[in-house]
């Protein structure tokens, strides 16, 4: 008998968190219907939301545990794989817990992420747990927590529709966060002015009223000069500064040297443009800042973030609808991964590891039945530090839950060397990704649509997921896998036992006061709930900082920030600055490249080169060129365009056969957030002089993806979204 049902859930791609219905036929997901009443996307989805389900029933899903022997994987039983993992974790943690590290999965439900950090902390006794926010929005967490007291978006998504002036800097939301871009378009239709500052003339820049082209990594110089103009023209909000902030005089003193002349020289923006930007932003009644990875993925990412906070506080553009500092979070649940304590500095709910009382609270909470937890009140290693420690032989075991650092971390050669240097790499995944292929043990996990739980979107909205089909073969739900490992390591089962994701969420609420009021009844509605949600009768409004900030004294703290710029600057050998981006049809690679419809739209990567730079090198459109940096080289098809500034080139980061991160720089990172410099490194491009077969070998990079350059499609983004 044919049975069709609709199962409401949340899109698994970007941090906008659109509501969708999975169409399920006889127990198998076969399609998606947008969720018409959903408050975030109002019945619309982007191509990823529409076709991004196609990966879930692929034949190459992992269905049984794998153990590597003599360089080859063989199938194993769960008992064998779990015993092997548990005994290695037990052996190393008994000797030195800090030789173990965990990467949590920001695509996974909150409940799985909470259990990952619990496995690290409770069973292994280490604070070495982190996730990919470190290399996307780590600077947001560090920067906004320093200035405002909390590292999240200050306003709800719909707030943007109330803005008069929207300043988008370092964000291409039309491709990376399309349903948020739709709200920007709606605001513009209501009369808001939209300004986009970006080194590339992106699809977002194309829908703006004004586009400001500037040099990669010069955001601080631009914003400091805007601050000086605002102060010089007496446009600052004096009452807000006096009542709600501290550190203004220091900010004023620091920014006085950022003259228009100096800022223009650094940024490449004309003096009069900087002046007019500053005056318009400060004169608007409700001005909002929107940013994304163009701000954060720098070796000074936290400084960039704090500069945006300085600008907003200076003009009183915070704590009101239509204003705010609005970082657009990358992956579907990267906000949740931070909230769940998958951070070496923070437990769930941003409770600080370094606070001895807090650490003691967690030690007490997690101890019992004769089992004692003794976590140190010292932060563990970040994701970047764990990889460096593995490279140096100081980390023995790494447990990677659903992340693919071989593709997504800077400097792939360094990453592979680090993973190969471990005594054991454990990867819990749905597919044999590039990272899983390096593993010693692979644990097959249930995917999206195959488990219950919650995702938290970029506006702190915690939304329920619903199971639509069973996992394939012998794949298990993630938290069950980790529960079983903890028990086999000797944690008494009552301390690590759950019957449902809901039970795990109840524990989360007990540990995280910011979510204390989120009971299931309130949560499992289309509107869901935003944190902070302190009690069951808290209205949980998305707008933060109406009356005070979350700092100890309730004041916003201006930061003195100096321009430093990218660590690698162009020189004769490497004269171009490489930046990396996403495209509309892909989200990393493990999932979207396995969706036929999405993959057909953009089958492989490319490098965008300005017409002048291409002409100087004799490069023609679609020609496969050699791109190389101090770290390595790739062969990649050229896309010649005037949408990018001369001297800057761009590669989307999704494609292993021409992986941008072979070139990027992992040596230099932000001291405040440990972010590596993914958005700027010096490279050179040249024509191949060899014959095409040689080029093709390099281009395919040992994978079975063989695509001619003519297959690269260009896309009309607006048509897809509006
Ligand atoms: Fe999914 Fe983001 Fe697209 Fe919404 S905008 S459908 S959450 S990828």
């Amino acid at each position: 008998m044919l049975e069709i049902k609709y199962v409401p859930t949340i899109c698994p791609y970007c941090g906008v968190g659109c509501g969708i219905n999975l169409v399920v036929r006889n127990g198998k997901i076969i399609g998606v219907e947008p969720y018409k009443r959903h408050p975030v996307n109002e019945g619309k989805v982007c191509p990823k939301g529409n076709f991004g389900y196609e990966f879930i029933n692929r034949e190459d899903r992992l269905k049984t545990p794998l153990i590597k022997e003599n360089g080859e994987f063989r199938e194993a039983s769960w008992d064998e794989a779990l015993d092997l993992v548990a005994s290695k974790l037990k052996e190393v943690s008994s000797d030195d817990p800090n030789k173990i590290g965990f990467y949590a999965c920001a695509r996974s439900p909150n409940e799985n992420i909470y259990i990952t950090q619990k496995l690290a902390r409770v069973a292994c006794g280490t604070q070495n747990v982190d996730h990919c926010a470190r290399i996307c929005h780590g600077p947001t967490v560090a920067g906004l927590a320093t200035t405002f007291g909390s590292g999240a978006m200050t306003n709800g998504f719909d707030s943007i529709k109330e803005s008069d002036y929207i300043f988008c800097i370092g964000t291409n939301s039309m491709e990376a966060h399309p349903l948020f871009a739709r709200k920007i378009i709606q605001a513009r239709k209501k009369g808001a002015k939209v300004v986009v500052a970006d080194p590339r003339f992106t699809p977002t820049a194309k829908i703006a009223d004004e586009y400001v082209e500037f040099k990669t990594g010069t955001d601080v110089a631009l914003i400091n000069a805007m601050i000086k103009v605002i102060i010089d023209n007496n446009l600052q909000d004096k009452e807000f500064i006096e009542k709600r902030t501290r550190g203004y005089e220091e900010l004023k003193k620091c920014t006085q040297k950022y003259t228009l002349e100096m800022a223009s020289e650094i940024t490449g923006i004309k003096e009069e443009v900087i002046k007019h930007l500053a005056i318009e932003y400060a004169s608007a009644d409700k001005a909002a800042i929107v940013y994304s990875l163009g701000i954060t993925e720098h070796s000074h990412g936290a400084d960039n973030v704090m500069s945006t906070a300085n600008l907003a506080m200076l003009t009183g553009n915070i704590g009101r609808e239509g204003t705010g500092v609005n970082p657009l979070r990358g992956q579907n649940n990267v906000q949740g991964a931070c909230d769940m304590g998958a951070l070496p500095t923070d437990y769930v709910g941003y409770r600080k590891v370094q606070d001895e009382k807090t650490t003691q609270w967690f030690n007490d909470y997690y101890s019992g039945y004769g089992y004692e937890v003794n976590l140190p009140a010292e932060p563990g290693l970040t994701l970047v530090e764990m990889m460096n420690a593995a490279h140096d032989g100081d980390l023995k075991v790494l447990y990677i839950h659903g992340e693919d650092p071989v593709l997504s971390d800077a400097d792939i050669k360094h990453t592979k060397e680090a993973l190969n240097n471990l005594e054991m790499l454990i990867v819990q995944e749905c597919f044999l990704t590039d990272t899983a292929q390096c593993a010693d043990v692979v644990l097959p996990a249930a995917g999206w649509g195959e488990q219950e739980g919650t995702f938290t979107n970029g506006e702190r909205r915690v939304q329920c997921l619903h199971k639509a089909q069973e996992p394939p073969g012998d794949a298990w739900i993630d938290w069950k896998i980790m529960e079983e490992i903890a028990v086999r390591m000797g944690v008494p089962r009552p301390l690590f036992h759950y019957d449902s994701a809901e039970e795990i969420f109840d524990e989360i609420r007990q540990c995280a006061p910011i979510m204390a009021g989120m009971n299931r009844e309130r949560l499992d509605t289309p509107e869901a709930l935003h944190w902070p949600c302190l009690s069951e009768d808290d209205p949980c409004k998305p707008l933060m900082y109406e009356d005070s900030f979350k700092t100890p004294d309730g004041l916003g703290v201006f930061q003195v920030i100096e321009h430093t710029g990218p660590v690698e600057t162009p020189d004769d050998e490497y004269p171009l600055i490489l930046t990396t981006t996403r495209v509309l049809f892909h989200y990393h690679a493990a999932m979207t490249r396995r969706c036929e419809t999405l993959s057909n739209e953009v089958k492989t990567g490319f490098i965008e080169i300005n017409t002048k730079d291409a002409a100087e090198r004799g490069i023609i459109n679609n020609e496969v060129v050699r791109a190389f940096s101090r770290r390595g080289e790739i062969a990649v098809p050229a896309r010649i365009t005037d949408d990018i500034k001369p001297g800057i080139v761009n590669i989307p980061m999704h494609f292993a056969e021409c992986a941008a991160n072979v070139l990027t720089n992992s040596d230099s990172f932000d001291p405040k957030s440990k972010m590596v410099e993914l958005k700027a490194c010096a490279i050179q491009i040249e024509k191949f002089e060899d014959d095409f077969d040689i080029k093709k070998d390099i281009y395919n990079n040992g994978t079975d993806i063989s695509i001619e350059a003519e297959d690269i499609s260009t896309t009309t983004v607006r048509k897809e979204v509006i």
Side-chain angles (χ1 to χ4, degrees):
M1 197 179 78
L2 183 68
E3 188 201 66
I4 300 264
K5 62 177 179 179
Y6 280 29
V7 178
T9 195
I10 303 299
C11 173
Y13 291 102
C14 84
V16 176
C18 296
I20 56 176
N21 285 300
L22 291 171
V23 184
V24 183
R25 183 173 65 194
N26 291 347
K28 285 270 173 230
I29 297 167
I30 57 157
V32 158
E33 275 291 318
Y35 193 158
K36 298 261 183 309
R37 284 191 302 128
H38 196 273
V40 172
N41 52 311
E42 300 166 317
K44 310 274 189 256
V45 283
C46 79
K48 290 185 286 283
N50 217 349
F51 302 107
Y53 72 91
E54 289 174 353
F55 74 92
I56 197 74
N57 287 317
R58 284 267 308 209
E59 265 310 300
D60 59 343
R61 280 288 301 275
L62 289 166
K63 300 183 185 82
T64 187
L66 302 173
I67 292 175
K68 197 178 269 169
E69 273 175 4
N70 303 319
E72 299 288 328
F73 283 119
R74 67 165 173 83
E75 293 190 353
S77 68
W78 271 111
D79 266 339
E80 187 186 8
L82 293 171
D83 282 342
L84 182 64
V85 168
S87 65
K88 187 68 186 176
L89 290 173
K90 179 94 185 146
E91 173 205 315
V92 178
S93 62
S94 307
D95 178 39
D96 183 354
N98 292 323
K99 302 274 186 216
I100 300 175
F102 282 79
Y103 277 26
C105 177
R107 288 178 293 151
S108 203
N110 286 320
E111 293 74 4
N112 290 342
I113 299 167
Y114 174 79
I115 294 298
T116 307
Q117 65 85 41
K118 186 171 174 182
L119 178 64
R121 290 183 161 125
V122 174
C124 299
T126 182
Q127 303 279 16
N128 294 346
V129 57
D130 206 1
H131 70 284
C132 64
R134 184 70 48 203
I135 52 167
C136 66
H137 274 283
T140 293
V141 177
L144 294 188
T146 307
T147 46
F148 299 155
S150 176
M153 191 165 177
T154 61
N155 293 45
F157 289 155
D158 275 342
S159 165
I160 205 79
K161 295 191 211 165
E162 306 300 317
S163 299
D164 302 315
Y165 187 93
I166 302 171
F167 182 42
C168 303
I169 181 164
T171 179
N172 178 15
S173 41
M174 287 292 282
E175 293 199 82
H177 304 92
L179 268 294
F180 182 78
R182 179 172 176 264
K183 293 182 193 291
I184 294 179
I185 293 167
Q186 287 170 333
R188 189 167 174 270
K189 281 185 180 158
K190 278 175 67 183
K193 178 163 185 178
V194 179
V195 176
V196 171
D198 201 294
R200 297 167 55 229
F201 188 43
T202 60
T204 311
K206 287 171 189 169
I207 58 118
D209 295 287
E210 196 172 320
Y211 167 56
V212 180
E213 182 187 76
F214 74 118
K215 291 182 199 162
T216 307
T218 62
D219 314 72
V220 168
L222 167 62
I223 294 174
N224 276 354
M226 288 172 70
I227 289 171
K228 174 171 160 51
V229 170
I230 291 166
I231 294 172
D232 289 352
N233 287 275
N234 212 17
L235 289 171
Q236 69 274 37
D237 186 332
K238 296 186 192 76
E239 191 183 342
F240 188 91
I241 292 167
E242 193 185 325
K243 291 190 178 150
R244 302 279 313 269
T245 69
R246 60 188 155 88
Y248 170 70
E249 289 304 327
E250 291 87 340
L251 175 80
K252 182 177 171 185
K253 190 168 165 214
C254 157
T255 52
Q256 282 308 298
K257 63 178 162 296
Y258 288 83
T259 61
L260 289 173
E261 190 186 5
M262 175 192 182
S264 177
E265 175 70 28
I266 296 171
T267 61
I269 307 172
K270 287 187 180 144
E271 292 180 30
E272 60 270 25
V273 174
I274 300 174
K275 185 173 179 186
H276 127 103
L277 266 183
I279 290 175
E280 282 202 344
Y281 174 83
S283 305
D285 179 31
K286 289 175 282 179
I289 297 171
V290 179
Y291 75 79
S292 189
L293 304 187
I295 280 284
T296 58
E297 284 188 336
H298 291 277
S299 58
H300 50 278
D303 284 353
N304 285 348
V305 169
M306 291 190 285
S307 291
T308 64
N310 282 343
L311 186 60
M313 289 193 291
L314 181 75
T315 50
N317 276 306
I318 201 90
R320 292 180 291 131
E321 296 294 352
T323 69
V325 177
N326 301 286
L328 299 178
R329 301 307 295 257
Q331 301 214 67
N332 55 319
N333 201 29
V334 74
Q335 179 69 56
C338 294
D339 304 347
M340 291 301 109
L343 296 168
T345 46
D346 295 56
Y347 298 105
V348 60
Y350 302 97
R351 298 179 67 188
K352 299 296 170 202
V353 164
Q354 271 183 305
D355 183 302
E356 290 200 0
K357 281 191 187 144
T358 301
T359 287
Q360 193 53 50
W361 188 94
F362 278 97
N363 283 338
D364 293 344
Y365 184 82
Y366 288 136
S367 296
Y369 300 89
Y371 185 82
E372 256 188 58
V373 178
N374 275 312
L375 288 163
E378 283 164 22
L381 299 177
T382 64
L383 170 149
V384 178
E385 290 168 333
M386 282 188 252
M387 204 54 88
N388 288 341
H391 198 268
D392 296 345
D394 294 332
L395 196 80
K396 291 185 177 175
V397 182
L398 187 57
Y399 193 124
I400 298 181
H401 172 210
E403 298 280 325
D404 192 7
V406 168
L407 183 67
S408 57
D409 281 12
D411 193 351
I412 286 174
K413 180 168 166 277
H414 176 271
T415 304
K416 282 186 174 171
E417 285 169 0
L419 297 181
N420 289 334
N421 210 22
L422 292 161
E423 288 183 12
M424 184 182 278
L425 172 63
I426 304 147
V427 175
Q428 187 170 310
E429 252 299 351
C430 293
F431 294 103
L432 204 58
T433 58
D434 290 354
T435 302
Q437 287 177 36
C438 299
D440 298 288
V441 185
V442 179
L443 304 172
W448 165 82
E450 295 167 350
Q451 52 192 318
E452 300 279 316
T454 52
F455 287 160
T456 307
N457 77 356
E459 57 173 347
R460 299 169 272 105
R461 191 191 296 259
V462 181
Q463 309 191 86
C464 288
L465 314 170
H466 296 287
K467 180 174 170 177
Q469 68 173 34
E470 291 299 327
D474 212 5
W476 283 15
I477 289 174
D478 297 84
W479 56 262
K480 270 280 168 209
I481 298 172
M482 292 183 274
E483 174 185 302
E484 204 51 45
I485 291 169
V487 170
R488 284 169 199 241
M489 287 179 70
V491 181
R493 198 173 277 282
L495 290 182
F496 223 120
H497 175 73
Y498 307 92
D499 285 323
S500 65
E502 205 176 326
E503 263 186 37
I504 300 173
F505 198 82
D506 283 341
E507 185 170 312
I508 293 167
R509 290 174 61 201
Q510 287 171 31
C511 297
I514 58 169
M515 293 180 180
M518 292 185 166
N519 65 40
R520 188 73 181 181
E521 205 182 323
R522 298 184 75 201
L523 213 52
D524 202 359
T525 59
E527 288 71 29
L529 291 168
H530 298 263
W531 66 256
C533 181
L534 305 180
S535 66
E536 295 196 356
D537 52 10
D538 185 335
C540 310
K541 287 195 329 198
L543 178 65
M544 292 176 86
Y545 315 132
E546 271 180 286
D547 304 314
S548 69
F549 291 95
K550 298 287 176 205
T551 49
D553 60 6
L555 298 176
V557 189
F558 284 115
Q559 300 294 317
V560 172
I561 310 286
E562 300 284 3
H563 163 76
T564 51
V567 171
E568 272 194 353
T569 49
D571 56 22
D572 289 347
E573 209 177 343
Y574 300 101
L576 302 167
I577 286 290
L578 169 69
T579 189
T580 60
T581 50
R582 293 191 170 117
V583 297
L584 174 65
F585 297 95
H586 286 286
Y587 211 92
H588 296 303
M591 288 149 71
T592 50
R593 291 201 84 186
R594 287 179 169 85
C595 298
E596 200 181 349
T597 312
L598 297 174
S599 204
N600 282 341
E601 288 289 344
V602 184
K603 289 185 175 175
T604 191
F606 51 85
I607 184 163
E608 288 182 323
I609 311 172
N610 180 271
T611 311
K612 179 171 158 282
D613 291 329
E616 279 171 11
R617 291 163 177 78
I619 293 168
I620 57 169
N621 206 29
N622 285 347
E623 175 181 1
V624 178
V625 297
R626 177 173 172 251
F628 55 101
S629 73
R630 291 179 176 86
R631 271 72 52 192
E633 71 173 67
I634 58 170
V636 57
R639 183 179 285 182
I640 297 170
T641 172
D642 284 331
D643 286 351
I644 194 160
K645 228 175 134 51
I648 298 179
V649 290
N650 170 53
I651 303 178
M653 48 74 67
H654 320 278
F655 305 98
E657 66 277 18
C658 45
N661 285 327
V662 168
L663 309 177
T664 50
N665 183 6
S666 70
D667 285 347
S668 49
F669 54 86
D670 183 358
K672 293 172 184 145
S673 67
K674 309 289 167 73
M675 161 65 81
V676 287
E677 188 127 78
L678 283 159
K679 283 286 182 206
C681 73
I683 75 162
Q684 175 59 298
I685 302 171
E686 62 184 28
K687 283 174 84 72
F688 275 107
E689 288 176 4
D690 315 308
D691 63 35
F692 182 69
D693 283 345
I694 295 171
K695 284 182 284 184
K696 203 163 96 180
D697 281 353
I698 303 169
Y699 175 42
N700 287 341
N701 197 23
T703 72
D704 63 355
I705 299 166
S706 180
I707 295 157
E708 300 300 325
E710 304 82 70
D711 286 337
I712 302 164
S713 68
T714 49
T715 58
T716 312
V717 178
R718 285 188 70 182
K719 191 181 81 198
E720 299 292 341
V721 177
I722 300 168

